[in-house]
Amino acid sequence: MLKLTAKSPDTINELCSFLKGADINTKLIAGGTDLIIWINENAFCEGTIIDISNIESLKKISLDNDIITIGSGVTFSQIHNSEIIRKYFPALAQAAFSVGSTQIRNRATIGGNIANASPCADGVTPLMAFNAKVEIINSEGKKYFRKPGEIIQSPHKNNLNPDEVILNIQIPKPKHNTASAFAKIGHRKRVAISKLNACINLELDSNDRVLSSKLFLGAIGIKAFESKLISEIFNGNILSPNLYMNFGEMLTKQVDEAIPNRSSRHYKRYAIHGIADDLLSSVIKQKGCIK
Amino acid sequence: MNKKFKYIGKSIPTFDAEEKVTGKISYTGDLKFDGMLHAKLILSTIVHGKVKKLETSAAEGIDESVKIFSYKDTPQNLFNAHIFLAEMQDIKDQKIFTDHVKFHGDMIGAIVAKDSYTAKLAAKKVKVQYEELPTELDPEKIISENKKEYIAFSKELSFGNLDDAFKKADKIIEDKIYTPKQHHAAMEPHLCIAVPNESNDGITIYTPCQVVFQVQLVIAEALSIDLNKVRVIKTKMGGSFGGKGQPVLEPAAAFLAIKTGKPIKLEMDRTESIIGTRTRNAVIGTIKTAVTKDGKILARQADLITDTGAYYTNATAVIMAMAKKYYRLYNIESQSYKGTSVLTNTPVGGACRGYGSPQIHAITEINIENTARRIGMDPVELRLKNLLKPFEEIPLPGPSIGDARAIDCLKRGAELFEWNKKYNSSKPTGRFLTGYGLACSTHGNGYHGAYPDFITMKLSLTAEGKLYLNSAIHDLGCGTVTSMQQIVAEVFDIHPYEVIAIEGDTGINHYDSAGTQASRVTYVCGNCAKLTADKLKDIIIKASSEIFKVPVNKISFTDGNILVENRAISFSDFYKLYFEKHSTPPEALYKYESKSNPAVYSVNFAEVEVDTFTGLVKVKEIVAVHDVGQAINTGFVEGQIHGGIHMGLGYALSEEIEIDKHGIVKSLNFSRYHIFNAQDMPTIKIDLIEKGENHGPYGAKSVGEIAAVASAPAVINAVNDALGTNITTYPATPERIIKAINNPESD
């Protein structure tokens, strides 16, 4: 006889106890925007579903000791509306707003976005660009940190053990002036899965000169990856529209390197100029530069 | 036209609006019957082949309720689900379940189980072994290699002297246009319930369908049972757009219910609806236009190939439908048309809102815009010189185009859109480019001239003083029932909600020849409702005259009452008096056969902004002017136009059933099949030309299908205007746009 058990812990302790003996048929559910579809497609009806959406501590964004902590159960709407996130990590707020529809953003969580391991995950690219750490707990209550990239193994497959769960994401508060931006290209302007996404994270001095730069690209590999070419273009330069040509060409080169043999390359190597333009316009606006 | 209507033209909400928005309504998915079992189809995962073996033990092991039925169990009668009249001669090549699968999604069998989850799980566990066969996927290859067994139908028509006209032309403009298979994307995927009758060996089918008598006919044929054993009841419709026109699931559900002796609910999910039901036929059209330098179109030649998919279905009908529209828009003396339908190992073609009009007008309207540009003429002016005028004769034999108001639509649209100002303005340069375009279109009003087109209605006065209209209408969600209420209400000057109009039920209705298709409902069925109401009105007037002993000219209707001289008699009081005298309720039965099939027209103007970096198109504005004769319910008409524009924009820019080079469908759900979204919708301005049409109720004619036609070519023309490209392949995806920008000479 088929048996599906649902459990709904209220605390982390309870969650750990429910995770004991977890196997591949143990599924964690938070927003359910990916899992419910998976359940329906695969007629999943034998195993255990643990609903973590009642654990209050997972649903908060906080700033403590210069660390910003985002609970794994925080929704994209919460991230987009968070004053803390908007202030320190505008790119993450932009990315959160770019995910799905309003209904999806009200349900889907940042922890789920990482664990679902989609190559197109819009939440993951900025987390990588901000050097975020992910805190994980296992059924024995042991906690440890991993990078988002270490959790994602391959499309829709993560490296978490069945008895592990993401608790939160931690990002250090920026030490300098920063500007950051997220941009994506999908089939349409809104409610689209990324064909390409990118996050830029710049540290600036008081004259808007770039001290350091980071750029991550998503949706053109099994997971988002860092583009190292960016520093030559940005570092030491004043943030201005003049950077656009070199930035666009550099991104085209990056697409050519990332997906040399895919038929989608012909479109993406060109369309990434749109991402270059959007990212640059956004960071310039943040610093009040003359456009 | 007499515009002094009390209810006609008014935006009255549909009678079931409150039930719908409060979620109280029962759709087919909500219906439950005692002992009901749930069925899940086993669909082909390959493109063409023979089923060698079905391994079912794993599925049967899940639960004792699991039963598996396949081609081994079903009758092997051939039928064609497109046939809605027994006399139709279309080739019959479908079976309920088959061991010779012809496309990715063909029906092999079904699981029946106690609940939908068990049925779904069991269906996943069925292993099918196939012997694969060669596939045919490319319509052009089928034609060029003359593979006769794949050529379903071909028709050539020619009028005038083409050779002469092409010689006289100053310019000849040729285009080749590709339109894809489109999924209807109704919110409600296909489903139906079949309930075996306890009293005899018959069956009752509950289905959100478009033609109850067609469902009855096809089931009877597929199962070799008498028509009178099959009762079909149309349920609340969660969207159709032509997709639920042909019975897809009903024969299988009927078979399963008879076999198990239990009510069966057979439901599809989105993926199954995309691959396994019907699609808009893909069309490849080559068109050549001969024009003088001052904009007179002398001749035109069109050569179309239609991909009808794996079964014959409407291979003939869609070719003929496109021909009709080809000849009913412009006044061109010499014109030839060739249409060929081919069979391919791809999802099956069928009705889809517009029925060929979106395809033929993609072809004519992109080409005519190019013609204007090539001779350096304003595309509005070129069309004005060539559009058909009201009642103008056309070479194609058949019904008159009627009071055809294409020119009025074009002139009014140009004003509303401020075409002259926009067309002559200088455009900004940079990343985002603006473009303007337009398109004209035409459609029909029923089957007159092609098939028998009649309906019989019965209107009775009830004891409570309401009017009860019994007819085989099908509200597809666009307001058919309330339109009929308004038509009847206007005759009697009672509130439309005092009219009760039931929908299709073969057990109750009089026969209707053609159902809710071919844009016939308002024009043909609506006129029947009007004439039936007129007949009952005469009966009531005559009876009142006898009962109250006053001359008939002293009897009238006002505000829900019968006015006898100055005395108001309520309908319920009249009912009592009438019944006392006649021992029967006042009622009128009327059979109406359509007398004409005029054309309707629409012109759409589009403004777009193209992101030349990403190829994304923002449609900023659509102006749509429609020749509707007379709106029965202006709100419904506008709703149809909004929805039609939406469907057209998806067709032009994002929607396509993608099939890979092996024939496997790739766009299996809405993350890969891109519907145009609410937030992408443009500002829409609508105007209606209401000049009345003969034989239409109060002058009304159709709108529901033509609404989905002109927005697509208007947008493509606007994109090409913005970019200086000649994109002729739908949909103009970002990838195709970027390709065209980088290589403007090729498509």
Side-chain angles (χ1 to χ4, degrees):
Chain A
M1 203 53 199
L2 305 171
K3 200 177 161 202
L4 191 64
T5 310
K7 295 178 177 173
S8 187
D10 293 319
T11 63
I12 301 293
N13 281 343
E14 210 178 346
L15 170 63
C16 291
S17 72
F18 289 157
L19 282 169
K20 289 201 169 70
D23 62 16
I24 52 160
N25 285 325
T26 305
K27 303 289 170 193
L28 293 166
I29 187 165
T33 54
D34 289 311
L35 189 72
I36 296 290
I37 292 165
W38 181 89
I39 286 172
N40 283 328
E41 274 178 4
N42 294 282
F44 176 76
C45 47
E46 211 168 2
T48 305
I49 292 175
I50 302 175
D51 173 15
I52 59 169
S53 66
N54 289 322
I55 304 173
E56 287 305 318
S57 62
L58 299 183
K59 300 199 278 191
K60 290 190 177 108
I61 299 171
S62 59
L63 170 58
D64 270 318
N65 296 326
D66 288 346
I67 301 277
I68 287 114
T69 302
I70 307 168
S72 58
V74 167
T75 65
F76 285 111
S77 291
Q78 275 177 280
I79 291 176
H80 172 244
N81 292 318
S82 157
E83 288 305 320
I84 298 173
I85 302 294
R86 285 180 177 213
K87 182 172 175 192
Y88 296 111
F89 313 115
L92 183 58
Q94 291 168 355
F97 185 62
S98 82
V99 172
S101 60
T102 308
Q103 293 92 325
I104 293 288
R105 291 193 295 276
N106 285 342
R107 296 286 309 171
T109 64
I110 188 73
N113 201 231
I114 300 170
N116 187 50
S118 163
C120 315
D122 291 322
V124 173
T125 313
L127 292 182
M128 288 187 172
F130 290 119
N131 203 16
K133 292 186 297 183
V134 181
E135 191 174 29
I136 291 161
I137 193 167
N138 69 11
S139 57
E140 283 160 17
K142 206 178 145 208
K143 293 181 184 178
Y144 33 90
F145 287 104
R146 286 202 210 144
K147 299 253 180 200
E150 292 165 358
I151 295 171
I152 298 162
Q153 187 189 87
S154 55
H156 302 287
K157 195 160 169 35
N158 64 43
N159 283 322
L160 297 169
N161 291 326
D163 79 328
E164 290 177 328
V165 58
I166 297 173
L167 279 182
N168 58 58
I169 294 102
Q170 300 183 12
I171 318 177
K173 196 179 107 180
K175 290 191 182 69
H176 298 269
N177 288 338
T178 60
S180 68
F182 174 87
K184 78 187 233 185
I185 295 169
H187 279 88
R188 53 191 164 221
K189 278 249 187 288
R190 312 254 353 120
V191 202
I193 294 170
S194 288
K195 295 178 195 172
L196 261 177
N197 70 36
C199 181
I200 191 169
N201 177 20
L202 306 172
E203 285 186 314
L204 308 168
D205 71 8
S206 52
N207 300 316
D208 293 342
R209 189 178 297 277
V210 179
L211 297 171
S212 77
S213 51
K214 255 185 195 302
L215 180 81
F216 276 75
L217 294 172
I220 50 169
I222 54 169
K223 53 187 143 179
F225 62 90
E226 183 166 14
S227 168
K228 303 275 189 194
L229 303 172
I230 188 172
S231 53
E232 289 169 34
I233 293 158
F234 281 87
N235 292 7
N237 286 322
I238 301 274
L239 207 47
S240 89
N242 297 335
L243 298 170
Y244 165 70
M245 277 311 288
N246 288 339
F247 186 29
E249 277 168 28
M250 172 237 136
L251 285 174
T252 298
K253 208 152 92 184
Q254 200 69 68
V255 171
D256 288 343
E257 277 176 23
I259 47 169
N261 301 317
R262 261 198 249 165
S263 61
S264 63
R265 177 178 72 104
H266 303 289
Y267 171 72
K268 290 181 178 179
R269 71 190 302 277
Y270 187 92
I272 202 157
H273 285 267
I275 287 202
D277 191 33
D278 291 347
L279 290 178
L280 197 58
S281 312
S282 177
V283 287
I284 287 171
K285 256 184 226 150
Q286 286 167 39
K287 297 319 293 174
C289 292
I290 299 156
K291 208 186 166 188
Chain B
M1 280 303 289
N2 172 19
K3 289 275 189 179
K4 286 176 196 148
F5 296 127
K6 188 158 173 187
Y7 298 113
I8 295 299
K10 300 294 184 297
S11 300
I12 297 162
T14 58
F15 75 105
D16 54 0
E18 192 182 324
E19 279 176 271
K20 277 185 174 165
V21 296
T22 54
K24 283 180 192 156
I25 211 160
S26 284
Y27 287 96
T28 316
D30 302 315
L31 301 180
K32 290 187 178 75
F33 292 86
D34 283 346
M36 188 168 80
L37 301 174
H38 296 256
K40 184 82 181 163
L41 292 167
I42 302 162
L43 299 181
S44 170
T45 54
I46 68 157
V47 175
H48 188 201
K50 284 271 187 183
V51 176
K52 287 298 181 211
K53 201 181 165 198
L54 284 176
E55 285 177 28
T56 57
S57 51
E60 282 158 340
I62 291 172
D63 185 275
E64 60 187 15
S65 71
V66 172
K67 299 269 183 311
I68 297 161
F69 299 93
S70 72
Y71 55 87
K72 292 174 196 160
D73 307 296
T74 46
Q76 294 296 295
N77 302 343
L78 293 174
F79 60 92
N80 181 341
H82 163 71
I83 292 179
F84 55 91
L85 292 164
E87 297 72 25
M88 286 164 67
Q89 297 295 316
D90 300 78
I91 289 166
K92 295 173 182 174
D93 59 354
Q94 291 175 252
K95 295 175 182 175
I96 297 176
F97 296 142
T98 182
D99 67 337
H100 180 181
V101 294
K102 293 180 176 172
F103 69 103
H104 174 204
D106 212 347
M107 289 186 201
I108 297 166
I111 302 283
V112 170
K114 62 180 181 183
D115 57 49
S116 61
Y117 230 71
T118 308
K120 191 175 184 174
L121 187 67
K124 282 197 171 287
K125 303 241 179 207
V126 174
K127 292 255 182 311
V128 185
Q129 287 179 17
Y130 303 95
E131 178 191 321
E132 296 211 35
L133 293 168
T135 58
E136 288 296 340
L137 304 169
D138 180 354
E140 290 182 285
K141 188 166 152 257
I142 289 167
I143 302 268
S144 67
E145 294 177 2
N146 197 22
K147 298 204 164 179
K148 289 208 170 63
E149 70 275 26
Y150 284 91
I151 295 175
F153 176 75
S154 195
K155 180 82 184 174
E156 284 185 61
L157 294 163
S158 189
F159 304 101
N161 189 333
L162 271 105
D163 289 347
D164 254 24
F166 272 96
K167 269 182 211 140
K168 278 189 215 151
D170 293 317
K171 272 220 159 66
I172 295 166
I173 290 89
E174 183 173 337
D175 285 299
K176 190 170 180 183
I177 285 123
Y178 291 80
T179 64
K181 287 182 191 263
Q182 188 179 24
H183 169 56
H184 308 78
M187 272 204 254
E188 171 194 60
H190 282 62
L191 80 168
C192 69
I193 297 171
V195 182
N197 297 349
E198 278 174 20
S199 52
N200 62 16
D201 51 352
I203 188 120
T204 303
I205 309 287
Y206 297 83
T207 173
C209 66
Q210 294 190 200
V211 193
V212 284
F213 290 103
Q214 179 180 2
V215 176
Q216 184 188 42
L217 181 68
V218 170
I219 289 174
E221 178 134 45
L223 294 175
S224 287
I225 56 175
D226 286 349
L227 273 180
N228 62 30
K229 299 269 188 196
V230 184
R231 178 176 175 188
V232 179
I233 299 171
K234 187 259 171 196
T235 46
K236 287 286 180 189
M237 172 63 81
S240 178
F241 312 103
K244 291 168 186 158
Q246 295 178 19
V248 175
L249 299 180
E250 291 90 336
F255 164 77
L256 295 170
I258 288 172
K259 198 81 184 166
T260 59
K262 301 276 186 190
I264 296 283
K265 183 187 274 182
L266 176 53
E267 262 180 296
M268 282 182 149
D269 60 20
R270 180 58 55 190
T271 299
E272 292 166 327
S273 262
I274 293 174
I275 66 172
T277 62
R278 295 293 181 266
T279 70
R280 184 186 297 291
N281 304 85
V283 173
I284 303 162
T286 306
I287 185 162
K288 232 160 53 165
T289 296
V291 67
T292 64
K293 59 181 183 301
D294 56 355
K296 179 70 201 158
I297 299 174
L298 300 175
R300 204 159 67 159
Q301 219 177 344
D303 189 348
L304 274 55
I305 309 168
T306 298
D307 181 351
T308 195
Y311 291 101
Y312 196 93
T313 67
N314 64 338
T316 305
V318 76
I319 291 286
M320 298 314 290
M322 285 193 288
K324 187 168 133 191
K325 281 87 194 181
Y326 178 67
Y327 286 100
R328 299 221 300 179
L329 187 53
Y330 295 105
N331 177 8
I332 301 169
E333 210 175 283
S334 302
Q335 273 200 102
S336 72
Y337 173 90
K338 184 181 177 195
T340 307
S341 283
V342 299
L343 290 154
T344 58
N345 297 112
T346 63
V348 183
C352 184
R353 197 179 194 178
Y355 211 98
S357 293
Q359 295 98 314
I360 190 67
H361 291 116
I363 293 158
T364 66
E365 292 308 292
I366 292 173
N367 176 251
I368 202 164
E369 200 99 338
N370 281 337
T371 302
R373 295 203 165 103
R374 291 278 296 280
I375 62 167
M377 183 176 278
D378 181 332
V380 169
E381 194 189 337
L382 176 65
R383 286 178 172 92
L384 278 175
K385 282 178 191 252
N386 293 283
L387 281 171
L388 285 163
K389 297 179 183 71
F391 302 105
E392 200 158 17
E393 294 278 331
I394 57 164
L396 186 74
S400 159
I401 62 169
D403 195 359
R405 294 288 167 172
I407 292 171
D408 289 3
C409 289
L410 180 55
K411 286 182 173 166
R412 181 73 187 117
E415 264 171 43
L416 266 177
F417 188 75
E418 300 188 313
W419 171 264
N420 285 336
K421 193 173 124 195
K422 286 179 174 163
Y423 182 70
N424 296 310
S425 64
S426 63
K427 292 181 196 160
T429 54
R431 175 175 169 182
F432 297 96
L433 298 180
T434 298
Y436 309 107
L438 72 140
C440 301
S441 60
T442 184
H443 202 75
N445 280 274
Y447 280 116
H448 176 77
Y451 295 111
D453 192 349
F454 62 85
I455 183 167
T456 301
M457 292 186 169
K458 186 175 172 186
L459 185 65
S460 324
L461 184 60
T462 69
E464 317 84 90
K466 293 188 191 267
L467 290 164
Y468 177 81
L469 182 69
N470 176 352
S471 71
I473 54 168
H474 310 70
D475 199 324
L476 307 187
C478 38
T480 295
V481 165
T482 299
S483 297
M484 297 300 156
Q485 290 174 311
Q486 285 176 262
I487 288 167
V488 171
E490 188 72 35
V491 171
F492 293 97
D493 192 4
I494 60 169
H495 193 277
Y497 294 163
E498 297 296 304
V499 180
I500 297 150
I502 63 158
E503 296 189 59
D505 179 343
T506 61
I508 292 176
N509 307 143
H510 282 271
Y511 184 69
D512 163 54
S513 71
T516 297
Q517 48 180 350
S519 282
R520 74 184 276 268
V521 175
T522 300
Y523 185 71
V524 180
C525 307
N527 208 37
C528 185
K530 166 79 167 60
L531 295 171
T532 310
D534 286 342
K535 189 174 169 185
L536 182 63
K537 185 179 173 182
D538 280 349
I539 289 169
I540 293 175
I541 289 173
K542 276 198 197 104
S544 303
S545 162
E546 287 164 16
I547 292 166
F548 299 107
K549 301 192 171 43
V550 295
V552 290
N553 62 7
K554 298 283 179 194
I555 294 159
S556 60
F557 294 84
T558 182
D559 288 329
N561 291 310
I562 303 165
L563 202 63
V564 180
E565 289 183 312
N566 292 323
R567 187 177 150 209
I569 314 286
S570 73
F571 274 72
S572 53
D573 286 347
F574 173 77
Y575 177 93
K576 278 181 215 130
L577 297 168
Y578 186 93
F579 202 93
E580 276 165 21
K581 192 166 156 75
H582 297 274
S583 303
T584 176
E587 57 190 19
L589 185 73
Y590 192 84
K591 179 183 170 191
Y592 174 68
E593 182 153 12
S594 180
K595 293 177 171 55
S596 48
N597 191 345
V600 282
Y601 293 88
S602 161
V603 179
N604 279 200
F605 287 80
E607 176 176 342
V608 302
E609 184 185 82
V610 187
D611 181 342
T612 58
F613 287 6
T614 64
L616 287 164
V617 175
K618 170 77 192 153
V619 182
K620 303 197 80 159
E621 185 180 21
I622 296 279
V623 165
V625 183
H626 278 255
D627 165 27
V628 298
Q630 166 65 49
I632 298 295
N633 183 314
T634 305
F636 294 173
V637 171
E638 287 172 356
Q640 286 299 301
I641 295 169
H642 279 255
I645 288 168
H646 169 262
M647 206 164 170
L649 297 183
Y651 192 41
L653 295 173
S654 59
E655 291 183 37
E656 176 170 26
I657 298 179
E658 274 186 81
I659 297 162
D660 76 7
K661 61 182 178 191
H662 308 293
I664 296 291
V665 180
K666 306 308 282 180
S667 43
L668 295 176
N669 51 47
F670 285 147
S671 66
R672 292 289 297 268
Y673 184 90
H674 304 289
I675 303 285
F676 213 70
N677 269 21
Q679 50 267 75
D680 291 330
M681 283 298 283
T683 305
I684 293 172
K685 282 186 196 153
I686 291 171
D687 203 12
L688 305 178
I689 307 293
E690 298 182 280
K691 305 266 185 179
E693 186 69 61
N694 273 337
H695 305 127
Y698 304 99
K701 50 187 173 179
S702 72
V703 69
E705 292 197 83
I706 194 174
V709 180
S711 61
V715 160
I716 294 290
N717 288 337
V719 169
N720 283 327
D721 178 56
L723 302 174
T725 51
N726 186 20
I727 294 169
T728 56
T729 299
Y730 282 15
T733 57
E735 285 81 357
R736 287 200 175 109
I737 286 173
I738 293 304
K739 201 174 158 201
I741 289 172
N742 289 327
N743 189 4
E745 293 308 308
S746 79
D747 173 17

